[in-house]
């Protein structure tokens, strides 16, 4: 299994987050428009005899919002009245995850954002709202669909390493399924149903079990730096510029409609894109028209606005923008567009319920920042050969593991390094680096915190003496638990020869009992142990890890270290309920 891939420098990590229309920019523009309308519209409507003016707030996903605005303009022109009140429809574009939070009363809820009509890109958002902790009893059930668009893989025509558009598999998104230097770009699953689709498809392909979790970890690590925080603008990635020709074009997961729209408007120098349809089946986004209010007048207005949208003129406009009909069929006009296959692709409808929540949870747990204390053994036992046959020493293997570990954690990681040996005095350890955010330098700003910690690790040598292993494990665990961070994965990583040999004040049984007593499933801190050499006390180490829903590995092969780290990180998917 791959333990990570090497790429040429790519701008996608920077551009992915800028490759959509900024929600902050959109919100600012919407606020300005609403401010003007709040003055002008009531004056105009009151002059027509309206006793009261009500606003029908409509929130739509960006790609379909232009059609809703046109329909709202026609709706408003009829000066509709309901129970003596005039209703004026206003359409804005706010990210679906913000709408869901507002509707369910979550931490970031804002009653000024919650719409009366909601058109997200997928009913998956509606189901997430229904199964959320806050619940949404007022949300419409079985909402009608305005259009549809299958989730596809977009790439320039005849991209090297890509299969034919009608012979593609979801394996093309995996690290080993693409050219080594070709990035995959997708929407963060918390912010787009197309991102949820990818995570769901990868999990369906990988299955369950430790090996599947490790492979999922490798996938998320590979793609998370290139994930976008909103609808992706393909023109940002495929520019046709000289600079873009010097780097591999990414594969991007988007709705088919985005490919059609890009091909229609692309610059002459930019490549034409092809939509690739996974043979295992994809998810068809259905753009539901969801009524979210219980107020009778506004519900009636929402129903009348929907009747406007059903007019052939607006159906035609949706087709012009690259959408399929709600039943998945491509109109004759759409079928003639380049880059797509007009036949309805294989789809499945199981991105619902528990599977939907799991797709988001997997991503969140694996991409969540870490708060980690590395506990490195520098006792006399670390000077011994790893394999007993004159190969590298345990210390050399531990340093290799430490440096690889640093490379696998993102910049948002809080990390510290303790060296343990009773040669360091009464406590038997040296705090070589306080727990500190990577990327924040202690020096003059010319180096990052990662570089400082790497420099420290490169200079670590065997100090000698006993390890004080059990004492130091408990002290390190207490250190992380006492400074627990709710929004991070909190853990201790132990690199050791795996022998205490009576050097600690506490026994192995006392350590296990103390860890079992301290472990809190609501605030989990887990031990991840890598022991080097066959002399490690494997059974004892596993009991220590099991007490904290962690993991323990014993190895005498340095080439296994990458996979061991991936397997350890994958334990995030089961903590605090890991089956040991």
């Amino acid at each position: 299994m791959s333990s990570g891939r090497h790429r040429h420098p790519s701008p996608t990590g920077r551009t992915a987050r800028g490759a959509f229309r900024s929600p902050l920019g959109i919100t600012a523009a919407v606020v300005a428009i609403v401010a003007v309308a709040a003055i002008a519209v009531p004056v105009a409507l009151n002059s027509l005899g309206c006793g009261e003016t009500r606003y029908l707030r409509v929130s739509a996903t960006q790609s379909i919002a232009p059609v809703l605005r046109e329909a709202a303009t026609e709706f408003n022109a009829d000066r509709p009245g309901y129970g003596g009140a005039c209703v004026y429809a206003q359409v804005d574009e706010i990210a679906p995850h913000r709408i869901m939070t507002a509707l369910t009363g979550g931490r970031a809820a804002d009653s000024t954002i919650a719409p009366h009509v909601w058109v997200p890109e997928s009913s998956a958002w509606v189901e997430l709202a229904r199964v959320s902790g806050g619940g949404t009893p007022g949300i419409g059930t079985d909402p009608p669909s305005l259009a549809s668009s299958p989730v596809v893989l977009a790439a320039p025509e005849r991209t090297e390493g890509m299969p034919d558009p009608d012979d593609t598999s979801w394996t093309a998104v995996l690290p080993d399924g693409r050219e080594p230097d070709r990035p995959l770009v997708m929407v963060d699953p918390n912010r787009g149903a197309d991102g949820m689709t990818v995570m769901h498809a990868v999990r369906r392909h990988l299955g369950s079990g430790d090996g599947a979790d490790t492979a999922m970890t490798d996938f998320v690590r590979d793609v998370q730096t290139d994930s976008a925080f909103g609808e992706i603008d393909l023109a940002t990635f495929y520019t046709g510029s000289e600079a873009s020709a010097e780097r591999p074009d990414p594969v991007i997961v988007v709705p088919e409609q985005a490919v059609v729209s890009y091909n229609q408007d692309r610059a002459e120098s930019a490549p034409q894109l092809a939509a690739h349809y996974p043979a295992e089946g994809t998810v068809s986004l259905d753009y539901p028209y969801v009524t979210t209010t219980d107020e009778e007048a506004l519900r009636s207005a929402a129903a009348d606005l929907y009747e406007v949208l059903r007019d052939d003129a607006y159906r035609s406009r949706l087709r012009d923008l690259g959408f399929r009909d709600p039943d998945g069929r491509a109109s004759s006009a759409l079928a003639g567009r380049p880059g797509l296959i007009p036949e309805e692709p294989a789809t499945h409808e199981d991105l619902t319920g528990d599977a939907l929540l799991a797709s988001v949870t997997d991503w969140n747990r694996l991409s969540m920042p870490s708060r980690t204390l590395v506990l490195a053994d520098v006792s006399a036992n670390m000077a011994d050969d790893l394999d007993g046959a004159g190969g590298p020493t345990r210390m050399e293997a531990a340093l290799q593991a430490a440096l690889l570990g640093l490379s696998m954690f993102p910049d948002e990681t809080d990390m510290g390094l303790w060296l343990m040996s009773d040669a360091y005095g009464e406590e038997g350890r040296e705090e070589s680096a306080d727990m500190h955010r990577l990327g924040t330098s202690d020096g003059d700003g010319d180096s990052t915190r990662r570089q400082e910690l790497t420099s420290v690790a490169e200079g670590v040598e065997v100090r000698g003496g006993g390890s004080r292993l059990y004492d130091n494990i408990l002290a390190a665990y207490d250190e992380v638990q006492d400074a627990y961070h709710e929004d991070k994965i909190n853990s201790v990583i132990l690199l050791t020869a795996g022998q205490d040999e009576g050097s600690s004040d506490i026994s192995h049984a006392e350590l296990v009992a103390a860890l079992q007593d301290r472990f809190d499933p609501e605030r989990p801190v887990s031990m991840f142990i890598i022991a080097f050499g066959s002399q490690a006390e494997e059974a004892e180490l596993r009991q220590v890890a099991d007490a904290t829903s962690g993991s323990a590995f014993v190895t005498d092969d340095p080439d296994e270290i990458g996979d061991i780290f991936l397997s350890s990180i994958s334990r995030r998917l089961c903590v605090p309920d890991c089956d040991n």
Side-chain angles (χ1 to χ4, degrees):
M1 179 179 296
S2 169
S3 60
R5 301 183 303 140
H6 300 284
R7 320 188 150 144
H8 298 303
S10 167
T12 55
R14 298 188 305 273
T15 58
R17 289 165 178 77
F20 60 94
R21 303 169 184 88
S22 166
L24 291 177
I26 291 168
T27 302
V30 168
V31 168
I33 293 170
V34 170
V36 172
I39 298 172
V41 174
V43 171
L45 293 180
N46 284 341
S47 69
L48 297 172
C50 293
E52 181 186 4
T53 300
R54 302 293 305 278
Y55 291 97
L56 180 70
R57 294 198 299 267
V58 181
S59 179
T61 193
Q62 295 168 22
S63 55
I64 206 169
V67 176
L68 270 85
R69 286 200 180 96
E70 294 170 14
T73 298
E74 180 177 332
F75 172 86
N76 293 334
D78 289 339
R79 305 164 187 165
Y82 303 88
C86 291
V87 175
Y88 183 83
Q90 294 177 320
V91 179
D92 60 30
E93 303 166 19
I94 299 177
H97 69 281
R98 293 186 64 199
I99 297 297
M100 188 191 76
T101 303
L103 291 174
T104 58
R107 182 169 56 184
D110 185 342
S111 60
T112 65
I113 291 178
H116 305 116
V117 174
W118 184 26
V119 186
E121 79 272 22
S122 171
S123 292
W125 287 110
V126 183
E127 181 161 5
L128 272 177
R130 290 197 184 110
V131 301
S132 66
T136 51
I139 201 167
T141 58
D142 194 24
S145 169
L146 295 180
S148 68
S149 190
V151 177
V152 300
L153 279 62
E157 292 181 335
R158 295 176 293 278
T159 292
E160 183 177 356
M162 285 293 290
D164 292 337
D166 59 352
D167 189 29
T168 299
S169 167
W170 279 114
T171 58
V173 306
L174 297 174
D176 294 333
R178 290 173 274 123
E179 293 291 306
D181 297 321
R182 191 176 305 286
L184 174 75
V185 177
M186 58 181 267
V187 171
D188 183 313
N190 293 287
R191 292 167 169 81
D194 36 354
M196 298 177 203
T197 298
V198 179
M199 288 296 293
H200 183 55
V202 170
R203 176 55 78 185
R204 289 179 78 203
H205 170 74
L206 295 176
S208 59
D210 291 345
D213 286 350
T214 300
M216 176 63 83
T217 303
D218 196 19
F219 167 72
V220 172
R221 283 188 56 252
D222 178 72
V223 74
Q224 71 181 108
T225 56
D226 292 331
S227 62
F229 285 171
E231 288 189 49
I232 294 174
D233 181 358
L234 293 173
T236 304
F237 292 93
Y238 305 114
T239 63
S241 66
E242 292 183 9
S244 66
E246 297 176 0
R247 59 180 181 265
D249 286 317
V251 175
I252 305 181
V253 181
V254 288
E256 177 191 66
Q257 182 271 337
V259 177
V260 175
S261 178
Y262 163 88
N263 281 339
Q264 177 175 299
D265 300 330
R266 68 183 174 89
E268 186 175 346
S269 59
Q272 182 162 288
L273 300 184
H276 293 253
Y277 303 82
E280 305 95 327
T282 186
V283 168
S284 182
L285 306 183
D286 59 342
Y287 304 89
Y289 186 90
V290 187
T291 302
T292 65
T293 179
D294 288 329
E295 294 186 50
E296 189 60 37
L298 294 178
R299 290 184 67 86
S300 296
D304 288 346
L305 177 60
Y306 175 69
E307 288 303 315
V308 174
L309 283 162
R310 292 184 62 189
D311 187 270
D312 288 343
Y314 296 106
R315 298 295 188 192
S316 178
R317 281 286 291 124
L318 288 168
R319 293 164 182 157
D320 289 342
L321 290 176
F323 291 99
R324 292 176 180 248
D325 291 341
D327 61 5
R329 287 182 294 183
S331 66
S332 57
L334 181 61
R337 303 281 189 92
L340 64 86
I341 298 175
E343 289 75 23
E344 186 177 358
T347 59
H348 58 78
E349 303 298 332
D350 60 351
L351 186 58
T352 58
D354 291 342
L356 179 63
L357 290 173
S359 71
V360 179
T361 300
D362 276 3
W363 175 272
N364 288 343
R365 288 195 173 185
L366 291 173
S367 60
M368 184 181 290
S370 299
R371 182 169 177 77
T372 298
L373 180 55
V374 179
L375 187 57
D377 188 349
V378 293
S379 67
N381 285 327
M382 293 297 286
D384 294 342
D385 290 350
L386 178 62
D387 57 7
T393 67
R394 295 172 180 174
M395 189 75 253
E396 290 169 337
L399 289 179
Q400 179 181 338
L403 296 174
L404 177 59
L406 278 171
S407 72
M408 296 177 75
F409 284 93
D411 285 345
E412 291 78 13
T413 302
D414 295 345
M415 185 173 285
L417 174 64
W418 287 8
L419 306 179
M420 61 181 184
S421 164
D422 59 14
Y424 285 121
E426 183 176 350
E427 290 190 331
R429 60 182 175 273
E430 179 180 272
E431 299 180 10
S432 293
D434 293 335
M435 294 190 70
H436 203 295
R437 176 173 172 159
L438 283 175
T440 304
S441 171
D442 287 340
D444 56 10
D446 291 335
S447 62
T448 66
R449 182 64 175 172
R450 182 194 298 278
Q451 291 169 329
E452 290 176 352
L453 288 173
T454 298
S455 178
V456 170
E458 288 174 339
V460 171
E461 297 178 346
V462 173
R463 184 65 183 262
S467 64
R468 297 285 297 271
L469 179 63
Y470 300 152
D471 288 347
N472 280 299
I473 287 175
L474 189 57
Y477 193 88
D478 286 343
E479 176 77 9
V480 178
Q481 190 172 61
D482 290 346
Y484 187 87
H485 198 299
E486 296 283 352
D487 296 323
K488 296 180 184 289
I489 297 293
N490 298 261
S491 64
V492 176
I493 297 177
L494 171 63
L495 308 175
T496 181
Q499 299 163 289
D500 183 86
E501 298 178 319
S503 60
S504 293
D505 292 335
I506 62 173
S507 67
H508 174 264
E510 290 171 330
L511 171 62
V512 172
L515 292 174
Q516 289 173 335
D517 181 62
R518 284 163 166 76
F519 183 74
D520 181 355
E522 299 299 322
R523 295 165 59 88
V525 176
S526 296
M527 290 286 311
F528 299 112
I529 302 172
I530 305 177
F532 303 95
S534 59
Q535 299 304 309
E537 298 171 342
E538 182 171 358
E540 288 82 353
L541 294 176
R542 291 196 185 281
Q543 290 173 2
V544 170
D546 290 352
T548 66
S549 202
S551 62
F553 299 87
V554 176
T555 183
D556 58 8
D557 182 358
D559 291 338
E560 292 181 345
I561 292 173
D563 286 343
I564 288 174
F565 261 107
L566 280 176
S567 182
S568 296
I569 295 171
S570 74
R571 298 285 286 187
R572 295 180 174 197
L573 297 175
C574 61
V575 170
D577 302 312
C578 295
D579 181 4
N580 295 307

